[in-house]
Amino acid sequence: MRIILLGPPGSGKGTQAQLLVQRYGIVQLSTGEMLRAAVAAGTPVGLKAKEIMASGGLVPDDVVVGIISDRIEQPDAKHGFILDGFPRTVPQAEALDELLKHKHMKLDAVIELRVNESALLSRVETRVAQMRERGEEVRLDDTPEVLTKRLASYRSQTEPLIHYYSERRKLSTIDGMMAIDEVTRAIHRQLLALGAVEPKTHGKTHGKTHGKTHARSAAKAAPAKKAAKKAKAAKKSAKAAKKAPKPAKSAKKAVNGAKKAAKAAKKAAKKAVKKVAKKTAKKAVKKGAKKTAKKVTKKRAKR
Ligand code: AMP
């Protein structure tokens, strides 16, 4: 899954990105974090960015595009990433499109966190107070003056991205004024609706023994059970579709589709059962052969 979090400073992008990382096991790529690390390490990029960042301006597009281009190629970003703070300008968004195209990667969604500007200053103040409490170093650009400049940069250079991505049907806007966990849930719902994440399976735990069934064989039978369950569900939906009054063309299609799915699932169930049976039979034959061989050897030894 590859997503972009869009929103002004203090909108909660960083917080949400971290929660999404925990939930989906993908990486957070924050250009702000990477630039701060470069500044701290005194690299050429850091030296270039230091003054600009301290004043609340934007680091040149080619610098951040270069950073992101390298970063998304790293193995930990293979399963997906959340871009936090990038892109921030239309040229950056265009460069990202090119990059992804070149690397055969697809962007799943752009999530915009919409917030009241009046709330941003107090949010940043709270963030600063919490960082001080934890004994963490406070960001140089987290002052009311610099925040005003960062907000102005957002309005003039980043806000046009809302139009850019909504034109490309990638934009989802979420109310960032809700409580943190509500925002997370809303993002999750949106990702589900877009098909970017799989719905959570509420499956029962395997290994439950029934009578004499051993936990291991129960686990082995799982594919067969799963397929049988699928067949049942498909059959049910086929029945439901059949019952629907005056089926329209699409309903008929659905019936046919469901019938096909039921057939396929049935076949899969049969196959899985056969496979398990075959394996068990093979094992039994092997075991039997071994026992007989042992007996013969014992007898011979006795003689
Ligand atoms: P952030 O941590 O996202 O608030 O970023 C902190 C600062 O890093 C910004 O105010 C910019 O100076 C710089 N920065 C981060 N990301 C970008 C970007 N995509 N383009 C230009 N400058 C950036």
Coordinates of all heavy atoms in Angstrom, one line a residue, residues 18-72:
Q18 N 2.4 7.4 12.1 CA 2.9 6.4 13.0 C 1.9 5.3 13.3 O 2.2 4.1 13.4 CB 3.4 7.0 14.3 CG 4.8 7.7 14.1 CD 5.2 8.6 15.2 OE1 4.6 8.5 16.3 NE2 6.1 9.4 14.9
L19 N 0.6 5.7 13.5 CA -0.4 4.7 13.8 C -0.6 3.8 12.6 O -0.9 2.6 12.8 CB -1.7 5.4 14.2 CG -1.6 6.2 15.5 CD1 -2.8 7.1 15.7 CD2 -1.5 5.2 16.7
L20 N -0.6 4.3 11.4 CA -0.8 3.5 10.2 C 0.4 2.5 10.0 O 0.2 1.4 9.6 CB -0.9 4.4 9.0 CG -2.1 5.3 8.9 CD1 -2.0 6.3 7.8 CD2 -3.4 4.5 8.8
V21 N 1.6 3.0 10.4 CA 2.8 2.1 10.3 C 2.5 0.9 11.2 O 2.8 -0.3 10.8 CB 4.0 2.9 10.8 CG1 5.2 1.9 11.2 CG2 4.5 3.9 9.7
Q22 N 2.0 1.1 12.5 CA 1.8 0.0 13.4 C 0.7 -0.9 12.9 O 0.8 -2.1 13.0 CB 1.3 0.6 14.7 CG 2.4 1.2 15.6 CD 1.9 2.0 16.7 OE1 0.7 1.8 17.2 NE2 2.7 2.9 17.2
R23 N -0.3 -0.3 12.3 CA -1.4 -1.1 11.8 C -1.2 -1.9 10.6 O -1.6 -3.1 10.5 CB -2.6 -0.2 11.6 CG -3.9 -0.9 11.3 CD -5.1 0.0 11.5 NE -6.3 -0.8 11.5 CZ -7.4 -0.3 11.9 NH1 -7.6 0.9 12.3 NH2 -8.5 -1.1 11.9
Y24 N -0.5 -1.4 9.6 CA -0.3 -2.0 8.3 C 1.1 -2.5 8.1 O 1.4 -3.2 7.0 CB -0.7 -1.1 7.2 CG -2.1 -0.6 7.3 CD1 -2.3 0.8 7.4 CD2 -3.2 -1.4 7.4 CE1 -3.6 1.3 7.5 CE2 -4.5 -1.0 7.5 CZ -4.7 0.4 7.6 OH -5.9 0.9 7.8
G25 N 2.0 -2.2 9.0 CA 3.4 -2.7 8.8 C 4.1 -2.1 7.6 O 4.9 -2.8 7.0
I26 N 3.8 -0.9 7.3 CA 4.5 -0.3 6.2 C 5.4 0.9 6.8 O 5.3 1.2 8.0 CB 3.5 0.3 5.1 CG1 2.4 1.2 5.8 CG2 2.9 -0.8 4.3 CD1 1.5 1.8 4.8
V27 N 6.2 1.5 6.0 CA 7.1 2.5 6.5 C 6.6 3.9 6.3 O 5.9 4.2 5.4 CB 8.6 2.4 6.0 CG1 9.3 1.1 6.5 CG2 8.6 2.4 4.5
Q28 N 7.0 4.8 7.3 CA 6.7 6.2 7.2 C 7.9 6.9 6.5 O 9.0 6.8 7.1 CB 6.4 6.7 8.6 CG 6.2 8.2 8.6 CD 6.2 8.8 10.0 OE1 6.5 8.0 11.0 NE2 5.9 10.0 10.2
L29 N 7.7 7.6 5.5 CA 8.7 8.4 4.9 C 8.4 9.8 5.0 O 7.6 10.4 4.3 CB 8.9 8.0 3.4 CG 9.1 6.5 3.1 CD1 9.3 6.3 1.6 CD2 10.2 5.9 3.8
S30 N 9.1 10.4 6.0 CA 8.9 11.9 6.3 C 10.1 12.7 5.8 O 11.2 12.5 6.3 CB 8.6 12.0 7.8 OG 9.0 13.3 8.2
T31 N 9.8 13.5 4.8 CA 11.0 14.3 4.3 C 11.5 15.2 5.4 O 12.7 15.5 5.4 CB 10.6 15.1 3.0 OG1 9.2 15.5 3.2 CG2 10.7 14.2 1.8
G32 N 10.6 15.7 6.2 CA 11.0 16.6 7.3 C 12.0 15.9 8.2 O 13.0 16.5 8.5
E33 N 11.6 14.7 8.6 CA 12.5 13.9 9.5 C 13.9 13.6 8.8 O 14.9 13.7 9.4 CB 11.9 12.5 9.8 CG 10.7 12.6 10.7 CD 11.1 12.9 12.1 OE1 12.2 12.6 12.5 OE2 10.3 13.6 12.8
M34 N 13.8 13.3 7.5 CA 15.0 13.0 6.8 C 15.9 14.2 6.7 O 17.1 14.1 6.8 CB 14.7 12.4 5.4 CG 14.1 11.1 5.4 SD 13.7 10.5 3.7 CE 12.1 9.8 3.9
L35 N 15.3 15.3 6.4 CA 16.0 16.6 6.3 C 16.6 17.0 7.7 O 17.8 17.4 7.8 CB 15.2 17.7 5.8 CG 14.8 17.6 4.3 CD1 13.7 18.6 3.9 CD2 16.0 17.9 3.4
R36 N 15.9 16.8 8.7 CA 16.4 17.1 10.1 C 17.6 16.2 10.4 O 18.6 16.7 11.0 CB 15.3 16.9 11.2 CG 14.4 18.2 11.3 CD 13.5 18.1 12.4 NE 12.4 17.1 12.2 CZ 11.3 17.4 11.5 NH1 11.1 18.6 11.0 NH2 10.3 16.5 11.3
A37 N 17.5 14.9 10.0 CA 18.6 14.0 10.2 C 19.9 14.5 9.4 O 21.0 14.4 9.9 CB 18.2 12.6 9.8
A38 N 19.6 14.9 8.2 CA 20.7 15.4 7.3 C 21.4 16.7 7.9 O 22.6 16.8 7.9 CB 20.2 15.7 5.9
V39 N 20.5 17.5 8.5 CA 21.0 18.8 9.1 C 21.9 18.3 10.3 O 23.0 18.8 10.5 CB 19.9 19.7 9.6 CG1 20.4 20.8 10.5 CG2 19.1 20.2 8.4
A40 N 21.4 17.4 11.1 CA 22.1 17.0 12.3 C 23.4 16.3 12.0 O 24.4 16.5 12.7 CB 21.3 16.0 13.1
A41 N 23.4 15.6 10.8 CA 24.7 14.9 10.4 C 25.6 15.8 9.7 O 26.8 15.4 9.4 CB 24.3 13.7 9.6
G42 N 25.1 17.0 9.3 CA 26.0 17.9 8.6 C 26.3 17.5 7.2 O 27.4 17.9 6.7
T43 N 25.4 16.7 6.6 CA 25.7 16.3 5.2 C 25.5 17.5 4.2 O 24.9 18.5 4.6 CB 24.7 15.2 4.8 OG1 23.4 15.8 4.8 CG2 24.7 14.0 5.7
P44 N 26.0 17.4 2.9 CA 25.7 18.5 2.0 C 24.3 18.9 1.9 O 23.9 20.1 1.8 CB 26.3 18.0 0.7 CG 27.3 16.9 1.1 CD 26.8 16.3 2.4
V45 N 23.4 17.9 1.9 CA 21.9 18.2 1.8 C 21.5 19.0 3.1 O 20.8 20.0 3.0 CB 21.1 16.9 1.7 CG1 19.6 17.1 2.0 CG2 21.3 16.3 0.3
G46 N 22.0 18.5 4.2 CA 21.7 19.2 5.5 C 22.1 20.6 5.5 O 21.4 21.5 6.0
L47 N 23.3 20.8 5.0 CA 23.9 22.2 5.0 C 23.0 23.1 4.1 O 22.8 24.3 4.4 CB 25.3 22.2 4.5 CG 26.3 21.5 5.4 CD1 27.7 21.4 4.8 CD2 26.4 22.2 6.8
K48 N 22.5 22.5 3.0 CA 21.7 23.3 2.1 C 20.3 23.6 2.7 O 19.8 24.7 2.5 CB 21.4 22.4 0.8 CG 21.7 23.1 -0.5 CD 21.3 22.1 -1.6 CE 22.1 22.3 -2.8 NZ 21.7 21.3 -3.9
A49 N 19.8 22.6 3.5 CA 18.5 22.8 4.0 C 18.3 23.6 5.3 O 17.3 24.1 5.6 CB 17.9 21.4 4.2
K50 N 19.4 23.6 6.1 CA 19.4 24.1 7.4 C 18.7 25.5 7.5 O 17.7 25.6 8.3 CB 20.8 24.2 8.0 CG 20.8 24.4 9.5 CD 22.2 24.4 10.0 CE 22.2 24.7 11.5 NZ 23.5 24.7 12.1
E51 N 19.2 26.5 6.8 CA 18.7 27.8 6.9 C 17.2 27.9 6.5 O 16.4 28.6 7.1 CB 19.5 28.8 6.1 CG 20.9 29.0 6.6 CD 20.9 29.5 8.1 OE1 20.2 30.5 8.3 OE2 21.7 29.0 8.9
I52 N 17.0 27.2 5.3 CA 15.6 27.3 4.8 C 14.6 26.7 5.8 O 13.5 27.3 6.0 CB 15.6 26.4 3.5 CG1 16.6 26.9 2.5 CG2 14.2 26.5 2.8 CD1 16.8 26.0 1.3
M53 N 15.0 25.6 6.4 CA 14.0 25.0 7.3 C 13.8 25.9 8.5 O 12.7 26.0 9.0 CB 14.6 23.6 7.8 CG 14.5 22.6 6.7 SD 15.3 21.1 7.1 CE 14.1 20.3 8.2
A54 N 14.9 26.5 9.0 CA 14.8 27.3 10.2 C 13.9 28.5 10.0 O 13.2 29.0 10.9 CB 16.2 27.7 10.7
S55 N 13.8 28.9 8.7 CA 13.0 30.1 8.4 C 11.6 29.7 8.0 O 10.7 30.6 7.8 CB 13.7 30.9 7.3 OG 13.6 30.2 6.1
G56 N 11.3 28.4 7.9 CA 9.9 28.0 7.5 C 9.7 27.9 6.0 O 8.5 27.8 5.6
G57 N 10.8 28.1 5.2 CA 10.6 28.0 3.8 C 10.6 26.5 3.3 O 10.7 25.6 4.1
L58 N 10.6 26.4 2.0 CA 10.6 25.0 1.4 C 12.0 24.7 0.8 O 12.5 25.6 0.1 CB 9.5 24.8 0.4 CG 8.1 24.7 0.9 CD1 7.1 24.3 -0.3 CD2 7.9 23.7 2.0
V59 N 12.5 23.6 1.1 CA 13.8 23.1 0.5 C 13.5 22.9 -1.0 O 12.4 22.5 -1.4 CB 14.2 21.8 1.2 CG1 15.4 21.2 0.6 CG2 14.4 22.1 2.7
P60 N 14.6 23.2 -1.9 CA 14.3 23.0 -3.3 C 13.8 21.6 -3.7 O 14.2 20.6 -3.1 CB 15.7 23.2 -3.9 CG 16.5 24.0 -2.9 CD 15.9 23.7 -1.6
D61 N 12.9 21.6 -4.7 CA 12.2 20.4 -5.2 C 13.2 19.3 -5.5 O 13.0 18.1 -5.1 CB 11.4 20.7 -6.4 CG 10.2 21.5 -6.1 OD1 9.7 21.5 -4.9 OD2 9.6 22.2 -7.0
D62 N 14.3 19.6 -6.2 CA 15.2 18.5 -6.7 C 15.9 17.8 -5.5 O 16.2 16.6 -5.5 CB 16.3 19.1 -7.6 CG 17.1 20.2 -7.0 OD1 16.6 20.9 -6.2 OD2 18.3 20.3 -7.4
V63 N 16.1 18.6 -4.4 CA 16.7 18.0 -3.2 C 15.8 16.9 -2.6 O 16.2 15.8 -2.4 CB 17.1 19.1 -2.1 CG1 17.6 18.4 -0.9 CG2 18.1 20.1 -2.7
V64 N 14.5 17.3 -2.4 CA 13.6 16.4 -1.7 C 13.2 15.2 -2.7 O 13.1 14.1 -2.2 CB 12.3 17.0 -1.1 CG1 12.6 17.6 0.2 CG2 11.7 18.0 -2.1
V65 N 13.1 15.5 -3.9 CA 12.8 14.4 -4.9 C 13.9 13.4 -4.9 O 13.6 12.2 -4.9 CB 12.5 15.0 -6.3 CG1 12.4 13.9 -7.3 CG2 11.2 15.8 -6.3
G66 N 15.1 13.9 -4.9 CA 16.3 13.0 -4.8 C 16.3 12.1 -3.6 O 16.5 10.9 -3.7
I67 N 15.9 12.7 -2.5 CA 15.9 11.9 -1.2 C 14.8 10.8 -1.3 O 15.1 9.7 -1.0 CB 15.5 12.8 0.0 CG1 16.6 13.9 0.2 CG2 15.3 12.0 1.2 CD1 16.3 14.8 1.4
I68 N 13.6 11.2 -1.8 CA 12.5 10.2 -1.8 C 12.8 9.1 -2.9 O 12.5 8.0 -2.6 CB 11.2 11.0 -2.2 CG1 10.7 11.7 -0.9 CG2 10.1 10.0 -2.7 CD1 10.3 10.8 0.2
S69 N 13.4 9.5 -4.0 CA 13.7 8.6 -5.0 C 14.6 7.4 -4.5 O 14.3 6.3 -4.8 CB 14.4 9.3 -6.2 OG 14.8 8.3 -7.1
D70 N 15.6 7.8 -3.7 CA 16.5 6.8 -3.1 C 15.8 6.0 -2.1 O 15.9 4.8 -2.0 CB 17.7 7.5 -2.5 CG 18.6 8.1 -3.5 OD1 18.5 7.7 -4.7 OD2 19.4 9.0 -3.1
R71 N 15.0 6.7 -1.3 CA 14.4 6.0 -0.1 C 13.3 5.0 -0.5 O 13.2 3.9 0.1 CB 13.7 7.1 0.8 CG 13.3 6.6 2.1 CD 14.4 6.1 2.9 NE 14.0 5.5 4.2 CZ 13.5 4.2 4.3 NH1 13.4 3.5 3.2 NH2 13.1 3.7 5.4
I72 N 12.5 5.2 -1.5 CA 11.5 4.3 -1.8 C 12.0 3.0 -2.5 O 11.3 2.0 -2.7 CB 10.3 4.9 -2.7 CG1 10.8 5.4 -4.0 CG2 9.5 5.9 -1.9 CD1 9.6 5.9 -4.9

